[in-house]
Amino acid sequence: MEKRTTILDFQAKCDKGEKLVVVTAYDYPMALAVDAAGVDAILVGDSLSTTMLGRPSTLSATMDEMIHHTKAVARAVKQALVIGDMPFLSYQLGLEDALENAGAFLSEAGAQAVKLEWCPQAPEVTSFLVENGVPVMGHVGFTPQHVHQWGGYHQQGKDKAGATRLLQQAKTLEKAGAFAVVLELVPPVIAQKISQSLKVPTIGIGAGPHCDGQVQVFHDMMGLLPDFHPKHAKAYLHLHEEIKKAVQQYAQEVRSGKFQPGS
Ligand code: KIV
């Protein structure tokens, strides 16, 4: 392993006012390209349940799947910080269980940190993991593992009470030792207030430009899913169309006998 970005580098960049760049990746070639682009961190998100496996939500991602994909990503990454996302019910059922699962991301899969979503247990779990050597990134706002509780993919923290709650949650996670906090689908003005109130970096997705960094989902950035265009994402490529065109050309060449790549 060459020198990968550490959580200290992450904080130092934030302290210098440099914006942090985070992208998800889920397999070896994806991680090779994303790492070579010079991002600060790669998140192996439980979004792989939807993006890679075609399921309707992140709720059915399993520890085995997360470890399998994190291993592939970690094999590719030379310079970025690798963060594994703790799936639903891998950290809510008890401290020992959470440590065993979080530890597997580090010891088996080659990640350097884990991410977990806000839940009542999150502060206690965060401090327990941190005390045991597992760096933790928090996640507040729209937390996809609560999608049924939220009744869909809705912005959080829109009223005063909701905004205050998000600020408190983010501060609580910082106090518990989280090295960064993801803010998802939060009004930009609230994300700005949270970012100004925390020393650790905030990483936004659908939370406006004032966070200390941004995270995007690889498939959204690359236009890999033709029927899914979330408002908070920017497609830099339209790979679904490009791949379709390439395969159509290949099919046409095979069928016409033009396909002769060498033997
Ligand atoms: O799973 C994921 O990709 C995430 C990001 C959207 C932050 O949690």
Side-chain angles (χ1 to χ4, degrees), residues 63 86 89-104 121 124-126 128-129 131-132 134:
M63 268 305 291
M86 297 199 67
L89 298 189
S90 70
Y91 53 99
Q92 292 94 336
L93 302 181
L95 292 178
E96 305 287 323
D97 191 45
L99 181 57
E100 192 173 342
N101 288 324
Q121 304 89 325
E124 200 188 358
V125 172
T126 299
F128 189 67
L129 296 184
E131 276 163 26
N132 283 286
V134 182

Side-chain angles (χ1 to χ4, degrees), residues 61-221:
T62 65
M63 268 305 291
D64 284 349
E65 289 166 355
M66 294 305 303
I67 293 294
H68 174 78
H69 284 271
T70 305
K71 279 181 180 170
V73 167
R75 280 182 211 119
V77 174
K78 295 189 170 62
Q79 63 81 32
L81 175 69
V82 178
I83 305 162
D85 206 3
M86 297 199 67
F88 185 52
L89 298 189
S90 70
Y91 53 99
Q92 292 94 336
L93 302 181
L95 292 178
E96 305 287 323
D97 191 45
L99 181 57
E100 192 173 342
N101 288 324
F105 277 99
L106 272 60
S107 62
E108 269 184 59
Q112 296 145 272
V114 299
K115 177 173 83 59
L116 52 83
E117 296 184 7
W118 176 267
C119 61
Q121 304 89 325
E124 200 188 358
V125 172
T126 299
S127 54
F128 189 67
L129 296 184
V130 170
E131 276 163 26
N132 283 286
V134 182
V136 175
M137 173 182 252
H139 184 160
V140 308
F142 176 78
T143 41
Q145 292 172 12
H146 284 78
V147 63
H148 297 307
Q149 188 65 36
W150 304 137
Y153 291 76
H154 304 305
Q155 194 182 51
Q156 301 298 309
K158 282 200 282 198
D159 59 10
K160 197 156 178 249
T164 306
R165 197 163 49 241
L166 293 187
L167 177 61
Q168 272 163 1
Q169 291 172 352
K171 281 186 173 170
T172 304
L173 289 173
E174 176 178 67
K175 197 157 168 232
F179 74 90
V181 179
V182 169
L183 305 178
E184 179 164 355
L185 302 190
V186 173
V189 63
I190 307 304
Q192 182 174 28
K193 184 156 184 224
I194 296 174
S195 303
Q196 286 164 350
S197 309
L198 299 191
K199 290 195 184 68
V200 299
T202 57
I203 307 296
I205 176 162
H210 305 296
C211 298
D212 301 302
Q214 298 287 334
V215 55
Q216 286 279 286
V217 169
F218 183 87
H219 289 54
D220 299 340
M221 285 180 70

Side-chain angles (χ1 to χ4, degrees), residues 4 30 76 80 105 161 170 210 259 261:
R4 282 198 197 154
M30 240 181 258
F105 277 99
H210 305 296
F259 180 75

